[in-house]
Amino acid sequence: MRQSVAPSRISHAASLASQANNATATSRLLEKKKEFEAVAALERASALFLKRIEGLADDCEVMADAGQVHGQVLEQWPLMFQSLSLFLNSREQHLSDPGDATVSLTGERLVRVPLDELQADASK
């Protein structure tokens, strides 16, 4: 008696379905890998972008501090011109009256302040 080939056909059909499922699962796995790589690349790009923005923020803070210092320096210029004017007026007055050596100046004159020595003393 001859054996039936029907059971072998069923197992062959099951293996074909299994291979189709494996192919579908493999393609889906490849698609998910691509998605993951794209998300990872986006995360790296975002981290790099964040570093650059933080660097720009630091630069802006430095420029803001420099602007404040610049403003403080500009604020001192009128006082400097006033001091120079007083010095020049007192010098002209002193030069115009050479015979009157006893006349004292009003006490307003420029002096040299030794900043290096003051800073060295302050650090001690």
Side-chain angles (χ1 to χ4, degrees):
M1 177 167 174
R2 184 173 157 214
Q3 287 185 335
S4 171
V5 285
S8 69
R9 287 185 183 175
I10 293 173
S11 67
H12 180 66
S15 71
L16 287 178
S18 164
Q19 287 177 356
N21 285 340
N22 283 343
T24 304
T26 304
S27 68
R28 185 175 169 121
L29 178 65
L30 288 175
E31 183 181 323
K32 291 297 179 182
K33 280 184 180 180
K34 287 180 183 178
E35 281 183 34
F36 177 76
E37 289 172 359
V39 169
L42 180 63
E43 188 175 343
R44 286 191 302 272
S46 296
L48 181 62
F49 184 70
L50 177 65
K51 274 187 186 177
R52 289 181 177 178
I53 293 296
E54 285 174 345
L56 285 173
D58 291 342
D59 291 345
C60 287
E61 288 177 7
V62 168
M63 287 191 293
D65 292 342
Q68 286 181 338
V69 170
H70 187 72
Q72 290 171 353
V73 168
L74 289 177
E75 185 180 10
Q76 298 300 316
W77 275 107
L79 298 173
M80 184 64 183
F81 286 130
Q82 183 182 7
S83 299
L84 286 173
S85 175
L86 288 171
F87 172 74
L88 292 175
N89 287 340
S90 66
R91 192 175 87 178
E92 287 176 7
Q93 185 180 20
H94 184 67
L95 291 176
S96 66
D97 297 332
D100 192 10
T102 61
V103 174
S104 66
L105 298 175
T106 61
E108 296 172 348
R109 63 175 69 180
L110 292 176
V111 295
R112 183 176 296 258
V113 178
L115 289 178
D116 295 331
E117 292 174 14
L118 290 174
Q119 289 174 349
D121 290 340
S123 65
K124 291 178 184 177

